[in-house]
Amino acid sequence: MLDLWNHYPIIARKLETVNSLINQRLATQNNSVQDLLAACAQEQGKLLRPGLFLLFSQLGDRQQQDEQQLFKIAASLELLHRASLIHDDIIDDSPLRHGTITIQAKYGKDVAVYAGDLLFTVFFQILIETMNGTPYMEYNAASMKNLLLGELSQMHARFDKAQTIGEYLENIKGKTAALFKLACTEGAHFGHADKNTVALAARIGENIGISFQIFDDILDYDSTAKILKKPVLEDIGQGVYTSPLLFAVAEHPEKFTPYLDKKQNITPQEIKKVAKLVRNYGGLAQAKQLARTYTEKALSDIDQLPHSETTSKIRKIALVLLKRNF
Amino acid sequence: MLDLWNHYPIIARKLETVNSLINQRLATQNNSVQDLLAACAQEQGKLLRPGLFLLFSQLGDRQQQDEQQLFKIAASLELLHRASLIHDDIIDDSPLRHGTITIQAKYGKDVAVYAGDLLFTVFFQILIETMNGTPYMEYNAASMKNLLLGELSQMHARFDKAQTIGEYLENIKGKTAALFKLACTEGAHFGHADKNTVALAARIGENIGISFQIFDDILDYDSTAKILKKPVLEDIGQGVYTSPLLFAVAEHPEKFTPYLDKKQNITPQEIKKVAKLVRNYGGLAQAKQLARTYTEKALSDIDQLPHSETTSKIRKIALVLLKRNF
């Protein structure tokens, strides 16, 4: 899980505490769901959101920080993320996530619906413990809503080859960037940074999130299952038309129509042909350029943060996310 | 929707406002999900939970009440209920709910997962507006968690004919009674009743809820689709073994084994035979007696409430729920 955070030993150590906290919160007396929740607790990903939260919290005034509160908020971000992943995997019928069998594949879709719901409640319970009465309660609820509206819009846009890059960007702003923005903003705020830093953190988080999602979509065309630990070339068959495809289709729509009009009946061989067309018509190159634009927006805001060791680390993370192959 | 509340014109009128509020909250600028959320808004049931909330709020001091706050909290209870129904219908593969086609049947399971999630976020947003910073935030989160744990335990107990009545009662306490308890407690509290009344309201709500669910389970054996506006004799095939069956199985296990051991492969003819056995071996009569016990517990607490017109109405509702055929 911690490949990314290995170069940040303090954050990596804190993330271990965050993980223990999640395990502890998902432990239950209820025998019938104990196995299930233990499985939800073990579903470790890159811990990108709690890691960013902890990193941004270091921009603040350490003297004023409540470490236990920070661990709990970090855990809340990961729980919200995992709850949404559990429900995503139901929709995508996904057998694997980060190389591990998914909750829906292991326990069935029915159980996965409730398991995701249960994680949402634990998320809210932690918010209530740590920030009840503050405006951050509403910020969290609104972020969760944006996340879901992004997912629903993406679902609505399935198999829509006329989708614009603008619409695609709107969807990933909700689906992915909302939570990155929340993580970085909360990090700066609950780390007791000044208001200007909190406002910068919000913009940096959102732009890193957009860039991250564009890269994630590129990896579906550009990586191998071994590196990614998940199946590749899944998006086309599922009708999730992301920026590499949308850019290439805009160049030569007629080349893609015969394949894409087959919608879910497209064969694996045809998907490979489409992927080749995407590459040949510059879809991957244009998508990479788009991701770079958002990373550069983030970098220009990072440069406005007070110069410190933490700021350098944030800069490095943003750059790593642009070249990642995990 | 308001069959039950027609005899309570003040509550019925207030419930219209609650419904408008729900419609308004589910209206969205997002074209792709507008239809879906409008459909979620129109899914009107009996409005039992917001109705009970409003009725119990009348036990308090009207001078101190904030009517807008009360409408919003009433809406939050209905939204939590509807969110859980949308997810329930996915699990039950249910085509109809209160005579209306379900979200999962109309839009597909995938959309229904996110639609339920979205209603949960609107539920939390209303809580944050009306009670942020109060202990009732945690009470709501815990009630939602109990509701989900009850659903999961029930799912875990599917096709388990050795399930005890005690286990059955534990599941329905979570799955149904938790929300009735919350509605009545919040009604008394936010209606500004005294502490003793709030404590009584909690017990009354829980016992009405248990009785209500036992009756709901009896209706699966005892009603017709026309009256119930939903399919009957569904529980056996789905492995949801409720009190009528559990009581009858306890009397003559050997009569049921050949049928129940077929689990989901039981035929519609065999289900009818099992239903007949349930009736013949006193399962329905014993289940009705069980429901009556909980209604009587509720009535004895209702008798301890200050004598008032509201208390008489609460008494009447509790009795109606015991003889309902809707």
Side-chain angles (χ1 to χ4, degrees), chain A residues 30 32 87-88 114 117 124-125 132-134 138 144-145 153 155-156, chain B residues 30 32 87-88 114 117 121 124-125 132-134 138 145 153 155-156:
Chain A
N30 190 321
S32 57
H87 283 180
D88 278 7
Y114 289 138
D117 290 352
F124 272 107
Q125 284 186 309
N132 198 9
T134 76
E138 169 53 24
M144 177 172 161
K145 201 174 177 182
S153 288
M155 191 183 287
H156 189 77
Chain B
N30 190 321
S32 57
H87 282 180
D88 277 7
Y114 289 138
D117 290 351
T121 67
F124 273 108
Q125 284 186 309
N132 199 10
T134 75
E138 169 54 23
K145 201 174 177 181
S153 287
M155 190 183 289
H156 189 76

PDB file of all heavy atoms in Angstrom, chain A residues 30 32 87-88 114 117 124-125 132-134 138 144-145 153 155-156, chain B residues 30 32 87-88 114 117 121 124-125 132-134 138 145 153 155-156:
ATOM      1  N   ASN A  30     -21.022  -7.996  16.113  1.00  0.00           N
ATOM      2  CA  ASN A  30     -22.014  -8.707  15.336  1.00  0.00           C
ATOM      3  C   ASN A  30     -21.346  -9.792  14.472  1.00  0.00           C
ATOM      4  O   ASN A  30     -20.738  -9.501  13.448  1.00  0.00           O
ATOM      5  CB  ASN A  30     -22.729  -7.673  14.459  1.00  0.00           C
ATOM      6  CG  ASN A  30     -23.941  -8.233  13.790  1.00  0.00           C
ATOM      7  OD1 ASN A  30     -23.931  -9.379  13.351  1.00  0.00           O
ATOM      8  ND2 ASN A  30     -24.987  -7.445  13.709  1.00  0.00           N
ATOM      9  N   SER A  32     -22.308 -11.939  12.378  1.00  0.00           N
ATOM     10  CA  SER A  32     -22.687 -12.162  10.993  1.00  0.00           C
ATOM     11  C   SER A  32     -22.002 -11.196  10.037  1.00  0.00           C
ATOM     12  O   SER A  32     -21.917 -11.452   8.856  1.00  0.00           O
ATOM     13  CB  SER A  32     -24.203 -12.086  10.837  1.00  0.00           C
ATOM     14  OG  SER A  32     -24.674 -10.847  11.293  1.00  0.00           O
ATOM     15  N   HIS A  87     -19.118   0.490  -3.635  1.00  0.00           N
ATOM     16  CA  HIS A  87     -20.295   0.665  -4.490  1.00  0.00           C
ATOM     17  C   HIS A  87     -19.915   0.754  -5.973  1.00  0.00           C
ATOM     18  O   HIS A  87     -20.624   0.224  -6.823  1.00  0.00           O
ATOM     19  CB  HIS A  87     -21.118   1.874  -4.030  1.00  0.00           C
ATOM     20  CG  HIS A  87     -21.948   1.579  -2.807  1.00  0.00           C
ATOM     21  ND1 HIS A  87     -22.771   2.490  -2.207  1.00  0.00           N
ATOM     22  CD2 HIS A  87     -22.077   0.427  -2.093  1.00  0.00           C
ATOM     23  CE1 HIS A  87     -23.371   1.920  -1.173  1.00  0.00           C
ATOM     24  NE2 HIS A  87     -22.956   0.690  -1.072  1.00  0.00           N
ATOM     25  N   ASP A  88     -18.782   1.375  -6.275  1.00  0.00           N
ATOM     26  CA  ASP A  88     -18.284   1.395  -7.665  1.00  0.00           C
ATOM     27  C   ASP A  88     -18.083   0.005  -8.220  1.00  0.00           C
ATOM     28  O   ASP A  88     -18.396  -0.272  -9.374  1.00  0.00           O
ATOM     29  CB  ASP A  88     -16.884   2.030  -7.740  1.00  0.00           C
ATOM     30  CG  ASP A  88     -16.942   3.523  -7.769  1.00  0.00           C
ATOM     31  OD1 ASP A  88     -18.046   4.075  -7.607  1.00  0.00           O
ATOM     32  OD2 ASP A  88     -15.880   4.137  -7.930  1.00  0.00           O
ATOM     33  N   TYR A 114     -24.879  -3.037   1.334  1.00  0.00           N
ATOM     34  CA  TYR A 114     -24.944  -2.678   2.754  1.00  0.00           C
ATOM     35  C   TYR A 114     -23.567  -2.382   3.343  1.00  0.00           C
ATOM     36  O   TYR A 114     -23.433  -1.549   4.240  1.00  0.00           O
ATOM     37  CB  TYR A 114     -25.612  -3.787   3.560  1.00  0.00           C
ATOM     38  CG  TYR A 114     -27.093  -3.902   3.306  1.00  0.00           C
ATOM     39  CD1 TYR A 114     -27.697  -5.140   3.158  1.00  0.00           C
ATOM     40  CD2 TYR A 114     -27.904  -2.771   3.229  1.00  0.00           C
ATOM     41  CE1 TYR A 114     -29.070  -5.250   2.923  1.00  0.00           C
ATOM     42  CE2 TYR A 114     -29.265  -2.875   2.994  1.00  0.00           C
ATOM     43  CZ  TYR A 114     -29.842  -4.123   2.841  1.00  0.00           C
ATOM     44  OH  TYR A 114     -31.180  -4.234   2.612  1.00  0.00           O
ATOM     45  N   ASP A 117     -22.745   1.097   2.580  1.00  0.00           N
ATOM     46  CA  ASP A 117     -23.585   1.965   3.423  1.00  0.00           C
ATOM     47  C   ASP A 117     -23.032   2.049   4.841  1.00  0.00           C
ATOM     48  O   ASP A 117     -23.022   3.112   5.466  1.00  0.00           O
ATOM     49  CB  ASP A 117     -25.011   1.409   3.499  1.00  0.00           C
ATOM     50  CG  ASP A 117     -25.751   1.539   2.177  1.00  0.00           C
ATOM     51  OD1 ASP A 117     -25.219   2.190   1.256  1.00  0.00           O
ATOM     52  OD2 ASP A 117     -26.864   0.988   2.069  1.00  0.00           O
ATOM     53  N   PHE A 124     -19.472   9.110   8.846  1.00  0.00           N
ATOM     54  CA  PHE A 124     -20.204  10.201   9.495  1.00  0.00           C
ATOM     55  C   PHE A 124     -19.991  10.198  11.001  1.00  0.00           C
ATOM     56  O   PHE A 124     -19.898  11.252  11.620  1.00  0.00           O
ATOM     57  CB  PHE A 124     -21.693  10.143   9.159  1.00  0.00           C
ATOM     58  CG  PHE A 124     -22.004  10.881   7.894  1.00  0.00           C
ATOM     59  CD1 PHE A 124     -22.323  10.208   6.733  1.00  0.00           C
ATOM     60  CD2 PHE A 124     -21.937  12.277   7.858  1.00  0.00           C
ATOM     61  CE1 PHE A 124     -22.578  10.905   5.547  1.00  0.00           C
ATOM     62  CE2 PHE A 124     -22.189  12.969   6.686  1.00  0.00           C
ATOM     63  CZ  PHE A 124     -22.512  12.283   5.516  1.00  0.00           C
ATOM     64  N   GLN A 125     -19.898   9.013  11.587  1.00  0.00           N
ATOM     65  CA  GLN A 125     -19.680   8.974  13.033  1.00  0.00           C
ATOM     66  C   GLN A 125     -18.354   9.620  13.406  1.00  0.00           C
ATOM     67  O   GLN A 125     -18.268  10.354  14.391  1.00  0.00           O
ATOM     68  CB  GLN A 125     -19.737   7.530  13.541  1.00  0.00           C
ATOM     69  CG  GLN A 125     -21.176   7.018  13.612  1.00  0.00           C
ATOM     70  CD  GLN A 125     -21.267   5.643  14.238  1.00  0.00           C
ATOM     71  OE1 GLN A 125     -20.561   4.725  13.828  1.00  0.00           O
ATOM     72  NE2 GLN A 125     -22.133   5.481  15.221  1.00  0.00           N
ATOM     73  N   ASN A 132     -18.139  18.060  14.914  1.00  0.00           N
ATOM     74  CA  ASN A 132     -19.562  18.364  15.074  1.00  0.00           C
ATOM     75  C   ASN A 132     -19.739  19.843  15.413  1.00  0.00           C
ATOM     76  O   ASN A 132     -19.026  20.378  16.250  1.00  0.00           O
ATOM     77  CB  ASN A 132     -20.154  17.500  16.200  1.00  0.00           C
ATOM     78  CG  ASN A 132     -21.680  17.423  16.144  1.00  0.00           C
ATOM     79  OD1 ASN A 132     -22.298  17.868  15.165  1.00  0.00           O
ATOM     80  ND2 ASN A 132     -22.282  16.867  17.179  1.00  0.00           N
ATOM     81  N   GLY A 133     -20.674  20.469  14.719  1.00  0.00           N
ATOM     82  CA  GLY A 133     -20.950  21.882  14.990  1.00  0.00           C
ATOM     83  C   GLY A 133     -20.149  22.833  14.129  1.00  0.00           C
ATOM     84  O   GLY A 133     -20.419  24.034  14.120  1.00  0.00           O
ATOM     85  N   THR A 134     -19.154  22.316  13.381  1.00  0.00           N
ATOM     86  CA  THR A 134     -18.353  23.199  12.523  1.00  0.00           C
ATOM     87  C   THR A 134     -18.883  23.157  11.086  1.00  0.00           C
ATOM     88  O   THR A 134     -19.564  22.210  10.697  1.00  0.00           O
ATOM     89  CB  THR A 134     -16.858  22.784  12.487  1.00  0.00           C
ATOM     90  OG1 THR A 134     -16.746  21.618  11.651  1.00  0.00           O
ATOM     91  CG2 THR A 134     -16.331  22.468  13.875  1.00  0.00           C
ATOM     92  N   GLU A 138     -20.809  20.268   6.852  1.00  0.00           N
ATOM     93  CA  GLU A 138     -21.498  20.486   5.578  1.00  0.00           C
ATOM     94  C   GLU A 138     -20.545  20.308   4.398  1.00  0.00           C
ATOM     95  O   GLU A 138     -20.921  19.776   3.348  1.00  0.00           O
ATOM     96  CB  GLU A 138     -22.152  21.872   5.564  1.00  0.00           C
ATOM     97  CG  GLU A 138     -22.673  22.351   4.214  1.00  0.00           C
ATOM     98  CD  GLU A 138     -23.628  21.389   3.491  1.00  0.00           C
ATOM     99  OE1 GLU A 138     -24.268  20.559   4.147  1.00  0.00           O
ATOM    100  OE2 GLU A 138     -23.706  21.484   2.243  1.00  0.00           O
ATOM    101  N   MET A 144     -19.289  14.525  -0.483  1.00  0.00           N
ATOM    102  CA  MET A 144     -19.833  13.191  -0.745  1.00  0.00           C
ATOM    103  C   MET A 144     -20.896  13.282  -1.836  1.00  0.00           C
ATOM    104  O   MET A 144     -20.955  12.428  -2.731  1.00  0.00           O
ATOM    105  CB  MET A 144     -20.426  12.620   0.548  1.00  0.00           C
ATOM    106  CG  MET A 144     -21.082  11.269   0.363  1.00  0.00           C
ATOM    107  SD  MET A 144     -21.569  10.541   1.969  1.00  0.00           S
ATOM    108  CE  MET A 144     -22.770   9.309   1.412  1.00  0.00           C
ATOM    109  N   LYS A 145     -21.719  14.313  -1.777  1.00  0.00           N
ATOM    110  CA  LYS A 145     -22.772  14.495  -2.783  1.00  0.00           C
ATOM    111  C   LYS A 145     -22.148  14.731  -4.164  1.00  0.00           C
ATOM    112  O   LYS A 145     -22.583  14.137  -5.158  1.00  0.00           O
ATOM    113  CB  LYS A 145     -23.641  15.684  -2.385  1.00  0.00           C
ATOM    114  CG  LYS A 145     -25.000  15.680  -3.020  1.00  0.00           C
ATOM    115  CD  LYS A 145     -25.824  16.810  -2.433  1.00  0.00           C
ATOM    116  CE  LYS A 145     -27.191  16.906  -3.075  1.00  0.00           C
ATOM    117  NZ  LYS A 145     -27.934  18.047  -2.509  1.00  0.00           N
ATOM    118  N   SER A 153     -23.328  11.017 -13.176  1.00  0.00           N
ATOM    119  CA  SER A 153     -23.183  11.662 -14.481  1.00  0.00           C
ATOM    120  C   SER A 153     -22.341  10.803 -15.406  1.00  0.00           C
ATOM    121  O   SER A 153     -22.625  10.678 -16.594  1.00  0.00           O
ATOM    122  CB  SER A 153     -22.493  13.020 -14.346  1.00  0.00           C
ATOM    123  OG  SER A 153     -23.355  13.929 -13.751  1.00  0.00           O
ATOM    124  N   MET A 155     -22.075   7.618 -15.301  1.00  0.00           N
ATOM    125  CA  MET A 155     -22.905   6.485 -15.700  1.00  0.00           C
ATOM    126  C   MET A 155     -23.878   6.894 -16.802  1.00  0.00           C
ATOM    127  O   MET A 155     -24.098   6.158 -17.767  1.00  0.00           O
ATOM    128  CB  MET A 155     -23.677   6.006 -14.476  1.00  0.00           C
ATOM    129  CG  MET A 155     -24.367   4.693 -14.677  1.00  0.00           C
ATOM    130  SD  MET A 155     -25.314   4.287 -13.208  1.00  0.00           S
ATOM    131  CE  MET A 155     -23.975   3.863 -12.117  1.00  0.00           C
ATOM    132  N   HIS A 156     -24.430   8.090 -16.641  1.00  0.00           N
ATOM    133  CA  HIS A 156     -25.381   8.611 -17.629  1.00  0.00           C
ATOM    134  C   HIS A 156     -24.700   8.806 -18.988  1.00  0.00           C
ATOM    135  O   HIS A 156     -25.333   8.668 -20.038  1.00  0.00           O
ATOM    136  CB  HIS A 156     -25.920   9.951 -17.121  1.00  0.00           C
ATOM    137  CG  HIS A 156     -27.050  10.483 -17.923  1.00  0.00           C
ATOM    138  ND1 HIS A 156     -28.332   9.994 -17.824  1.00  0.00           N
ATOM    139  CD2 HIS A 156     -27.114  11.473 -18.847  1.00  0.00           C
ATOM    140  CE1 HIS A 156     -29.121  10.651 -18.649  1.00  0.00           C
ATOM    141  NE2 HIS A 156     -28.414  11.555 -19.281  1.00  0.00           N
TER     142      HIS A 156
ATOM    143  N   ASN B  30     -28.498  19.020 -12.260  1.00  0.00           N
ATOM    144  CA  ASN B  30     -27.804  18.019 -13.046  1.00  0.00           C
ATOM    145  C   ASN B  30     -28.801  17.215 -13.899  1.00  0.00           C
ATOM    146  O   ASN B  30     -29.511  16.351 -13.398  1.00  0.00           O
ATOM    147  CB  ASN B  30     -27.074  17.103 -12.064  1.00  0.00           C
ATOM    148  CG  ASN B  30     -26.125  16.179 -12.742  1.00  0.00           C
ATOM    149  OD1 ASN B  30     -26.418  15.666 -13.811  1.00  0.00           O
ATOM    150  ND2 ASN B  30     -24.977  15.960 -12.137  1.00  0.00           N
ATOM    151  N   SER B  32     -28.611  14.788 -15.930  1.00  0.00           N
ATOM    152  CA  SER B  32     -28.519  13.343 -16.054  1.00  0.00           C
ATOM    153  C   SER B  32     -29.178  12.621 -14.881  1.00  0.00           C
ATOM    154  O   SER B  32     -29.508  11.452 -14.994  1.00  0.00           O
ATOM    155  CB  SER B  32     -27.067  12.915 -16.206  1.00  0.00           C
ATOM    156  OG  SER B  32     -26.321  13.379 -15.118  1.00  0.00           O
ATOM    157  N   HIS B  87     -32.110   0.728  -1.430  1.00  0.00           N
ATOM    158  CA  HIS B  87     -31.085  -0.313  -1.357  1.00  0.00           C
ATOM    159  C   HIS B  87     -31.697  -1.687  -1.054  1.00  0.00           C
ATOM    160  O   HIS B  87     -31.250  -2.696  -1.590  1.00  0.00           O
ATOM    161  CB  HIS B  87     -29.993   0.081  -0.360  1.00  0.00           C
ATOM    162  CG  HIS B  87     -29.040   1.088  -0.920  1.00  0.00           C
ATOM    163  ND1 HIS B  87     -27.970   1.598  -0.223  1.00  0.00           N
ATOM    164  CD2 HIS B  87     -28.993   1.691  -2.139  1.00  0.00           C
ATOM    165  CE1 HIS B  87     -27.312   2.464  -0.991  1.00  0.00           C
ATOM    166  NE2 HIS B  87     -27.926   2.540  -2.141  1.00  0.00           N
ATOM    167  N   ASP B  88     -32.741  -1.720  -0.220  1.00  0.00           N
ATOM    168  CA  ASP B  88     -33.444  -2.991   0.050  1.00  0.00           C
ATOM    169  C   ASP B  88     -33.984  -3.607  -1.222  1.00  0.00           C
ATOM    170  O   ASP B  88     -33.923  -4.826  -1.421  1.00  0.00           O
ATOM    171  CB  ASP B  88     -34.694  -2.751   0.904  1.00  0.00           C
ATOM    172  CG  ASP B  88     -34.356  -2.673   2.362  1.00  0.00           C
ATOM    173  OD1 ASP B  88     -33.163  -2.672   2.687  1.00  0.00           O
ATOM    174  OD2 ASP B  88     -35.296  -2.577   3.165  1.00  0.00           O
ATOM    175  N   TYR B 114     -26.368   4.236  -6.387  1.00  0.00           N
ATOM    176  CA  TYR B 114     -25.993   5.645  -6.207  1.00  0.00           C
ATOM    177  C   TYR B 114     -27.173   6.503  -5.763  1.00  0.00           C
ATOM    178  O   TYR B 114     -27.001   7.471  -5.020  1.00  0.00           O
ATOM    179  CB  TYR B 114     -25.415   6.220  -7.498  1.00  0.00           C
ATOM    180  CG  TYR B 114     -24.043   5.687  -7.839  1.00  0.00           C
ATOM    181  CD1 TYR B 114     -23.710   5.334  -9.132  1.00  0.00           C
ATOM    182  CD2 TYR B 114     -23.064   5.561  -6.852  1.00  0.00           C
ATOM    183  CE1 TYR B 114     -22.452   4.849  -9.449  1.00  0.00           C
ATOM    184  CE2 TYR B 114     -21.808   5.076  -7.161  1.00  0.00           C
ATOM    185  CZ  TYR B 114     -21.502   4.721  -8.465  1.00  0.00           C
ATOM    186  OH  TYR B 114     -20.255   4.251  -8.777  1.00  0.00           O
ATOM    187  N   ASP B 117     -27.461   6.181  -2.131  1.00  0.00           N
ATOM    188  CA  ASP B 117     -26.343   6.915  -1.521  1.00  0.00           C
ATOM    189  C   ASP B 117     -26.625   8.415  -1.513  1.00  0.00           C
ATOM    190  O   ASP B 117     -26.334   9.116  -0.539  1.00  0.00           O
ATOM    191  CB  ASP B 117     -25.048   6.685  -2.317  1.00  0.00           C
ATOM    192  CG  ASP B 117     -24.526   5.261  -2.175  1.00  0.00           C
ATOM    193  OD1 ASP B 117     -25.061   4.511  -1.331  1.00  0.00           O
ATOM    194  OD2 ASP B 117     -23.588   4.899  -2.900  1.00  0.00           O
ATOM    195  N   THR B 121     -26.930  11.276   1.571  1.00  0.00           N
ATOM    196  CA  THR B 121     -26.216  12.553   1.744  1.00  0.00           C
ATOM    197  C   THR B 121     -27.200  13.695   1.987  1.00  0.00           C
ATOM    198  O   THR B 121     -26.907  14.583   2.776  1.00  0.00           O
ATOM    199  CB  THR B 121     -25.323  12.932   0.534  1.00  0.00           C
ATOM    200  OG1 THR B 121     -26.144  13.206  -0.594  1.00  0.00           O
ATOM    201  CG2 THR B 121     -24.350  11.843   0.194  1.00  0.00           C
ATOM    202  N   PHE B 124     -28.114  13.564   5.567  1.00  0.00           N
ATOM    203  CA  PHE B 124     -27.093  14.153   6.439  1.00  0.00           C
ATOM    204  C   PHE B 124     -27.046  15.667   6.311  1.00  0.00           C
ATOM    205  O   PHE B 124     -26.838  16.374   7.293  1.00  0.00           O
ATOM    206  CB  PHE B 124     -25.715  13.543   6.160  1.00  0.00           C
ATOM    207  CG  PHE B 124     -25.486  12.303   6.966  1.00  0.00           C
ATOM    208  CD1 PHE B 124     -25.480  11.055   6.368  1.00  0.00           C
ATOM    209  CD2 PHE B 124     -25.292  12.384   8.329  1.00  0.00           C
ATOM    210  CE1 PHE B 124     -25.300   9.895   7.117  1.00  0.00           C
ATOM    211  CE2 PHE B 124     -25.101  11.235   9.093  1.00  0.00           C
ATOM    212  CZ  PHE B 124     -25.108   9.989   8.479  1.00  0.00           C
ATOM    213  N   GLN B 125     -27.255  16.171   5.102  1.00  0.00           N
ATOM    214  CA  GLN B 125     -27.230  17.626   4.937  1.00  0.00           C
ATOM    215  C   GLN B 125     -28.337  18.283   5.756  1.00  0.00           C
ATOM    216  O   GLN B 125     -28.120  19.328   6.369  1.00  0.00           O
ATOM    217  CB  GLN B 125     -27.360  17.989   3.456  1.00  0.00           C
ATOM    218  CG  GLN B 125     -26.050  17.756   2.703  1.00  0.00           C
ATOM    219  CD  GLN B 125     -26.114  18.247   1.265  1.00  0.00           C
ATOM    220  OE1 GLN B 125     -27.040  17.912   0.531  1.00  0.00           O
ATOM    221  NE2 GLN B 125     -25.122  19.025   0.862  1.00  0.00           N
ATOM    222  N   ASN B 132     -26.758  20.455  13.886  1.00  0.00           N
ATOM    223  CA  ASN B 132     -25.297  20.379  13.929  1.00  0.00           C
ATOM    224  C   ASN B 132     -24.805  20.790  15.315  1.00  0.00           C
ATOM    225  O   ASN B 132     -25.258  21.783  15.869  1.00  0.00           O
ATOM    226  CB  ASN B 132     -24.698  21.312  12.857  1.00  0.00           C
ATOM    227  CG  ASN B 132     -23.247  20.959  12.531  1.00  0.00           C
ATOM    228  OD1 ASN B 132     -22.730  19.922  12.961  1.00  0.00           O
ATOM    229  ND2 ASN B 132     -22.588  21.826  11.785  1.00  0.00           N
ATOM    230  N   GLY B 133     -23.891  19.999  15.856  1.00  0.00           N
ATOM    231  CA  GLY B 133     -23.323  20.327  17.161  1.00  0.00           C
ATOM    232  C   GLY B 133     -24.075  19.711  18.325  1.00  0.00           C
ATOM    233  O   GLY B 133     -23.590  19.742  19.452  1.00  0.00           O
ATOM    234  N   THR B 134     -25.251  19.112  18.067  1.00  0.00           N
ATOM    235  CA  THR B 134     -25.997  18.491  19.170  1.00  0.00           C
ATOM    236  C   THR B 134     -25.736  16.985  19.203  1.00  0.00           C
ATOM    237  O   THR B 134     -25.305  16.399  18.207  1.00  0.00           O
ATOM    238  CB  THR B 134     -27.524  18.692  19.011  1.00  0.00           C
ATOM    239  OG1 THR B 134     -28.005  17.807  17.979  1.00  0.00           O
ATOM    240  CG2 THR B 134     -27.861  20.132  18.624  1.00  0.00           C
ATOM    241  N   GLU B 138     -25.113  12.243  16.511  1.00  0.00           N
ATOM    242  CA  GLU B 138     -24.621  10.890  16.746  1.00  0.00           C
ATOM    243  C   GLU B 138     -25.775   9.896  16.871  1.00  0.00           C
ATOM    244  O   GLU B 138     -25.675   8.757  16.415  1.00  0.00           O
ATOM    245  CB  GLU B 138     -23.732  10.860  17.999  1.00  0.00           C
ATOM    246  CG  GLU B 138     -23.361   9.480  18.531  1.00  0.00           C
ATOM    247  CD  GLU B 138     -22.708   8.529  17.512  1.00  0.00           C
ATOM    248  OE1 GLU B 138     -22.129   8.998  16.517  1.00  0.00           O
ATOM    249  OE2 GLU B 138     -22.817   7.298  17.714  1.00  0.00           O
ATOM    250  N   LYS B 145     -26.758   3.172  11.479  1.00  0.00           N
ATOM    251  CA  LYS B 145     -25.883   2.004  11.585  1.00  0.00           C
ATOM    252  C   LYS B 145     -26.673   0.778  12.070  1.00  0.00           C
ATOM    253  O   LYS B 145     -26.513  -0.323  11.532  1.00  0.00           O
ATOM    254  CB  LYS B 145     -24.750   2.323  12.555  1.00  0.00           C
ATOM    255  CG  LYS B 145     -23.538   1.450  12.406  1.00  0.00           C
ATOM    256  CD  LYS B 145     -22.437   1.945  13.302  1.00  0.00           C
ATOM    257  CE  LYS B 145     -21.224   1.066  13.249  1.00  0.00           C
ATOM    258  NZ  LYS B 145     -20.182   1.574  14.170  1.00  0.00           N
ATOM    259  N   SER B 153     -27.733  -8.566   9.241  1.00  0.00           N
ATOM    260  CA  SER B 153     -27.969  -9.774  10.049  1.00  0.00           C
ATOM    261  C   SER B 153     -29.097 -10.582   9.450  1.00  0.00           C
ATOM    262  O   SER B 153     -29.038 -11.816   9.405  1.00  0.00           O
ATOM    263  CB  SER B 153     -28.359  -9.395  11.476  1.00  0.00           C
ATOM    264  OG  SER B 153     -27.255  -8.921  12.164  1.00  0.00           O
ATOM    265  N   MET B 155     -29.913 -10.687   6.352  1.00  0.00           N
ATOM    266  CA  MET B 155     -29.390 -11.317   5.152  1.00  0.00           C
ATOM    267  C   MET B 155     -28.549 -12.550   5.513  1.00  0.00           C
ATOM    268  O   MET B 155     -28.620 -13.584   4.866  1.00  0.00           O
ATOM    269  CB  MET B 155     -28.531 -10.294   4.417  1.00  0.00           C
ATOM    270  CG  MET B 155     -28.117 -10.734   3.043  1.00  0.00           C
ATOM    271  SD  MET B 155     -27.054  -9.498   2.302  1.00  0.00           S
ATOM    272  CE  MET B 155     -28.248  -8.229   2.012  1.00  0.00           C
ATOM    273  N   HIS B 156     -27.763 -12.407   6.579  1.00  0.00           N
ATOM    274  CA  HIS B 156     -26.913 -13.507   7.050  1.00  0.00           C
ATOM    275  C   HIS B 156     -27.775 -14.695   7.499  1.00  0.00           C
ATOM    276  O   HIS B 156     -27.364 -15.849   7.386  1.00  0.00           O
ATOM    277  CB  HIS B 156     -26.060 -12.999   8.211  1.00  0.00           C
ATOM    278  CG  HIS B 156     -24.995 -13.953   8.645  1.00  0.00           C
ATOM    279  ND1 HIS B 156     -23.839 -14.137   7.934  1.00  0.00           N
ATOM    280  CD2 HIS B 156     -24.913 -14.770   9.716  1.00  0.00           C
ATOM    281  CE1 HIS B 156     -23.087 -15.021   8.549  1.00  0.00           C
ATOM    282  NE2 HIS B 156     -23.715 -15.429   9.637  1.00  0.00           N
TER     283      HIS B 156
END
